[in-house]
Amino acid sequence: MTKIAINDDDFQKFREYFYRKTGISFEPTKRYFVDKRLVERIEATDSDSFRSYFSMLRFQASGEELQQLTNIMTVNETYFLREDYQFQCLVDSMLPDIANRKTDNSPIRIWCIPSSSGEEPYTVAMYLMERWAGISKWDVEIISSDIDTGILQKARAGRYSPRSVQHVPAPWLAKYFTRKGDEYQLCEDVRQAVEFTRVNLAEPADTRPYRNFDVIFCRNLLIYFDDVSRKAAAETFYDALRPGGFICLGHSESMSRISSLYKVRKFPEAIVYQKSLEAR
């Protein structure tokens, strides 16, 4: 079989196409990563060249191959209680602020995107159960979304490696997980607390139904976007938040450098970003 090669023009064509479809921009430094995964999919689909594969990718009516390719092109590296000061801020500062302002009995809504394999939204659920007294008074909806359908299946299954749970406090580990061989199975009560959905942040039709959230966690995703895509994502999240809602970014990300829509809120535990209370 002839070895498949990706040339500079191929890489550029794919890079521009994938950016339009997902908002993710691959720098030339990621060339080896991209080429390797492209060749995997070219061979898996029995295409004889990049050209034939790329044609199929663009014109396939079902979009199935684009989804398969997206699944292997997106990075899913996370663990429980990652940057846990933000979860502490959620229960000690953000949720009390939200609850004090609520004038009805509608649920408090939290959106985690990307979900990756579920560690972040499940951490949110456990923090609420363990460390927020308001959980006995308020209904909370946790929705977690990702573009990768494969990783969503893993998230729903809730089975994790020892590395994923290494920072989970021992009492939580005993209470919420069961050791099964080399993995830890998360209990059904926590798994049922989170709804997982597929969302492409760059596709308005996907994000339009996502509204009236009180808190959004979008951590370490925007680093894969360019300035234009980051700004578009910031506007999408602004539309998804209720007035006064909060968004948490990764420690190396700053909304102030992306969009002027939000104001900075400095809580004792963390700096987060807030939609104006007067916003419609």
Side-chain angles (χ1 to χ4, degrees):
M1 181 177 177
T2 306
K3 183 173 175 58
I4 302 293
I6 309 297
N7 64 37
D8 292 345
D9 286 343
D10 296 340
F11 175 74
Q12 192 59 34
K13 284 178 183 174
F14 170 74
R15 183 186 176 200
E16 291 171 358
Y17 171 78
F18 200 71
Y19 171 74
R20 288 198 309 273
K21 290 293 186 180
T22 67
I24 297 171
S25 179
F26 288 118
E27 297 303 316
T29 54
K30 296 285 187 182
R31 177 70 186 270
Y32 175 77
F33 171 88
V34 172
D35 284 9
K36 186 169 183 288
R37 281 151 183 79
L38 271 175
V39 169
E40 282 179 25
R41 292 310 305 165
I42 290 170
E43 292 176 347
T45 55
D46 293 326
S47 302
D48 58 10
S49 65
F50 171 83
R51 183 176 179 179
S52 63
Y53 173 76
F54 192 54
S55 178
M56 180 270 290
L57 181 69
R58 286 181 298 156
F59 299 115
Q60 184 184 50
S62 68
E64 183 179 344
E65 180 54 30
L66 176 60
Q67 185 63 64
Q68 291 289 336
L69 185 62
T70 300
N71 289 358
I72 66 168
M73 285 290 181
T74 47
V75 178
N76 295 288
E77 178 67 23
T78 188
Y79 49 85
F80 283 92
L81 279 79
R82 186 178 187 180
E83 297 173 24
D84 65 334
Y85 59 89
Q86 288 187 337
F87 303 117
Q88 202 62 51
C89 184
L90 175 70
V91 297
D92 287 352
S93 296
M94 286 187 277
L95 288 177
D97 184 286
I98 291 162
N100 286 338
R101 286 189 276 107
K102 282 187 76 67
T103 57
D104 59 21
N105 292 319
S106 64
I108 291 172
R109 306 187 75 226
I110 300 171
W111 189 19
C112 297
I113 180 171
S115 76
S116 188
S117 42
E119 286 93 332
E120 178 176 278
Y122 287 143
T123 296
V124 170
M126 289 189 292
Y127 251 85
L128 297 184
M129 293 172 181
E130 292 290 325
R131 296 188 177 175
W132 188 46
I135 195 65
S136 61
K137 178 181 178 182
W138 295 100
D139 288 333
V140 180
E141 294 178 357
I142 305 171
I143 297 173
S144 193
S145 308
D146 206 287
I147 195 173
D148 181 341
T149 53
I151 208 69
L152 287 168
Q153 288 183 335
K154 289 184 179 179
R156 293 184 187 106
R159 294 179 74 98
Y160 296 99
S161 68
R163 183 188 176 280
S164 285
V165 301
Q166 63 182 320
H167 299 297
V168 176
W172 293 21
L173 197 63
K175 184 175 181 180
Y176 295 114
F177 293 84
T178 303
R179 185 73 185 255
K180 294 194 173 182
D182 295 331
E183 293 182 311
Y184 289 84
Q185 174 68 64
L186 183 63
C187 72
E188 190 172 349
D189 283 351
V190 177
R191 284 187 286 133
Q192 287 187 344
V194 181
E195 178 186 353
F196 290 97
T197 63
R198 185 208 170 270
V199 170
N200 179 352
L201 195 54
E203 179 52 66
D206 280 8
T207 60
R208 199 169 292 120
Y210 290 77
R211 293 291 185 269
N212 298 318
F213 285 96
D214 296 287
V215 181
I216 295 174
F217 283 89
C218 180
R219 308 191 305 171
N220 307 308
L221 172 67
L222 301 184
I223 54 176
Y224 298 104
F225 288 8
D226 68 357
D227 290 344
V228 174
S229 295
R230 286 189 196 105
K231 190 170 187 298
E235 292 170 357
T236 295
F237 292 139
Y238 190 83
D239 290 340
L241 282 170
R242 284 186 174 126
F246 299 102
I247 183 166
C248 300
L249 301 182
H251 73 276
S252 65
E253 300 168 309
S254 169
M255 186 62 81
S256 303
R257 293 197 294 266
I258 299 170
S259 171
S260 60
L261 288 171
Y262 303 81
K263 67 177 182 179
V264 177
R265 281 295 300 271
K266 294 182 179 179
F267 288 118
E269 308 83 10
I271 294 174
V272 300
Y273 304 92
Q274 185 175 27
K275 180 174 179 175
S276 169
L277 282 163
E278 290 75 39
R280 292 186 176 182

